[in-house]
Amino acid sequence: MKIEQIDEVTKGFFQVLEDETQAGKIEYTWAGKSKFIIDHTEVDPEFKGKGVGKKMVKATVDFAKENKLKVIPLCPFAKSLIEKTPEFQEVLA
C-alpha cells in the first residue's frame, strides 16, 4: 500500500493506494497557516479491517509533526484514534 498526499490551497487529502485502487481517503481543510481540520475519513468497503484508516491518520499526524502544525479532528474516526493514541495527541489543537 502506498500513501500519497494531495495538498491544495485551502484543502487537501491523504489517500492510500493498493495497485492504483484507492483503498481510503482522509480529507482536511486548512484553518490558517499553522493548523488544519480533519473533516472526513473514508475506507473502501473492500479494504475494511486492514488498518487503512489508522495508516491515513498516522500519515496525517506525521505530516503535522514534521511541519509543526496542529490538528482539529472533527471526523469522529480520526478524533477517537488520536485521543486513544498517546503519541498522536501532541498535534491536537
Side-chain angles (χ1 to χ4, degrees), residues 38-53:
I38 298 175
D39 299 309
H40 181 69
T41 304
E42 187 174 322
V43 176
D44 184 285
E46 183 180 325
F47 294 94
K48 294 241 187 227
K50 296 184 178 181
V52 171

Side-chain angles (χ1 to χ4, degrees), residues 60-62 64-65 69-72 82 87-93:
T60 305
V61 168
D62 288 346
K65 286 180 181 180
L69 301 169
K70 292 295 183 179
V71 175
I72 302 166
I82 291 170
E87 63 267 25
F88 290 177
Q89 294 172 5
E90 69 187 76
V91 301
L92 286 173

Side-chain angles (χ1 to χ4, degrees), residues 1-57:
M1 284 190 198
K2 175 176 85 172
I3 299 176
E4 64 181 26
Q5 179 184 17
I6 308 297
D7 188 48
E8 300 165 352
V9 177
T10 59
K11 293 181 172 272
F13 63 90
F14 286 85
Q15 66 181 353
V16 174
L17 299 172
E18 177 76 40
D19 298 325
E20 302 309 312
T21 298
Q22 188 182 69
K25 182 177 182 181
I26 188 167
E27 300 172 350
Y28 61 86
T29 302
W30 286 102
K33 294 183 182 204
S34 62
K35 61 186 163 192
F36 60 92
I37 299 163
I38 298 175
D39 299 309
H40 181 69
T41 304
E42 187 174 322
V43 176
D44 184 285
E46 183 180 325
F47 294 94
K48 294 241 187 227
K50 296 184 178 181
V52 171
K54 186 170 184 175
K55 286 178 183 165
M56 290 187 298
V57 172

